[in-house]
Amino acid sequence: SQKIEQNSEALNIQEGKTATLTCNYTNYSPAYLQWYRQDPGRGPVFLLLIRENEKEKRKERLKVTFDTTLKQSLFHITASQPADSATYLCALDRTAGNKLTFGGGTRVLVKP
Amino acid sequence: NAGVTQTPKFRVLKTGQSMTLLCAQDMNHEYMYWYRQDPGMGLRLIHYSVGEGTTAKGEVPDGYNVSRLKKQNFLLGLESAAPSQTSVYFCASSQPGTGNTEAFFGQGTRLTVV
């Protein structure tokens, strides 16, 4: 069966360091991979999208890589700040904007 | 900008009662979705719609019905609520295309079935 796995353990990191989150998938051939941020009591908010033919995407302090051979995406937050503390979700999509499937999310806690 | 608005924000139901959750979007998006989020389970797709008048089943559709009579609204119905439907429900919308296909989410509805 199709599976999307993110580390369920919270990631505690010191301010200023780089946080790296992993999203692994099996039995899936996504065309797009997206990352979202979710704060407690709020809906997810879109951060980045990377296509299957792209290796890397950057947006400000965020970087996403996509390795379709390893079936893995890495999400990096560089120079992390306490305001980056949240849960980060990866989502896969086989077609443009249709039926996003989400991983369970990884909670990040950035300590000052 | 309102974006995606869900009504109500909180609700407590007794087992067997029915209710409808309303989702409205003002971005003229074609696609709309209903997800539920449970601890440790992530977001799971209940039903979705690719246009006005269309609906389709997602990953966990049992016990729910939906309707999309108007493009801007997507309704989720629970005919006979069960404790297993206690969850946080999120509505989302997106616009298909070859460019950015991000989904926009509402603020969620926290439903408790006792």
Side-chain angles (χ1 to χ4, degrees):
Chain A
S1 62
Q2 297 168 345
K3 202 180 277 189
I4 303 168
E5 291 184 333
Q6 295 184 254
N7 192 347
S8 59
E9 288 185 22
L11 178 63
N12 292 297
I13 191 163
Q14 203 66 35
E15 182 177 7
K17 300 293 186 184
T18 297
T20 299
L21 284 66
T22 304
C23 176
N24 295 301
Y25 58 93
T26 56
N27 298 326
Y28 217 113
S29 297
Y32 301 82
L33 189 145
Q34 302 183 19
W35 283 89
Y36 288 77
R37 169 185 172 138
Q38 187 174 24
D39 292 287
R42 309 291 292 272
V45 175
F46 173 81
L47 295 173
L48 278 168
L49 175 151
I50 187 166
R51 295 176 177 80
E52 59 182 341
N53 60 352
E54 296 176 321
K55 296 292 186 187
E56 181 179 299
K57 203 76 167 283
R58 291 176 184 260
K59 179 183 176 183
E60 297 173 352
R61 293 183 295 108
L62 307 178
K63 185 178 86 171
V64 172
T65 62
F66 194 11
D67 189 327
T68 54
T69 301
L70 291 178
K71 295 186 182 297
Q72 181 181 80
S73 174
L74 298 179
F75 177 82
H76 306 273
I77 307 172
T78 59
S80 59
Q81 303 168 359
D84 295 326
S85 298
T87 296
Y88 292 85
L89 306 165
C90 73
L92 303 182
D93 185 8
R94 276 191 291 266
T95 58
N98 188 17
K99 289 182 67 176
L100 276 176
T101 304
F102 284 83
T106 298
R107 193 160 67 92
V108 173
L109 179 60
V110 182
K111 297 180 179 179
Chain B
N1 288 338
V4 178
T5 303
Q6 293 182 229
T7 310
K9 291 184 174 58
F10 303 93
R11 185 74 186 267
V12 178
L13 281 181
K14 293 183 178 178
T15 298
Q17 285 185 319
S18 63
M19 79 163 293
T20 300
L21 281 68
L22 172 64
C23 178
Q25 53 98 0
D26 62 2
M27 296 171 283
N28 202 35
H29 284 169
E30 288 294 332
Y31 291 178
M32 295 187 75
Y33 317 81
W34 276 107
Y35 289 89
R36 61 177 288 173
Q37 188 173 38
D38 303 291
M41 300 289 287
L43 286 157
R44 291 183 293 168
L45 183 64
I46 304 171
H47 286 281
Y48 66 102
S49 168
V50 298
E52 180 179 312
T54 74
T55 62
K57 294 180 180 179
E59 182 186 354
V60 288
D62 293 342
Y64 305 95
N65 57 75
V66 288
S67 64
R68 184 122 182 250
L69 299 178
K70 293 183 178 181
K71 186 177 183 179
Q72 64 268 33
N73 295 336
F74 196 28
L75 278 63
L76 177 71
L78 285 73
E79 291 184 347
S80 179
S84 61
Q85 294 178 304
T86 293
S87 186
V88 181
Y89 291 86
F90 287 100
C91 175
S93 71
S94 68
Q95 185 62 19
T98 56
N100 202 348
T101 60
E102 66 179 281
F104 293 81
F105 283 82
Q107 78 278 25
T109 296
R110 185 173 294 275
L111 175 66
T112 302
V113 183
V114 298

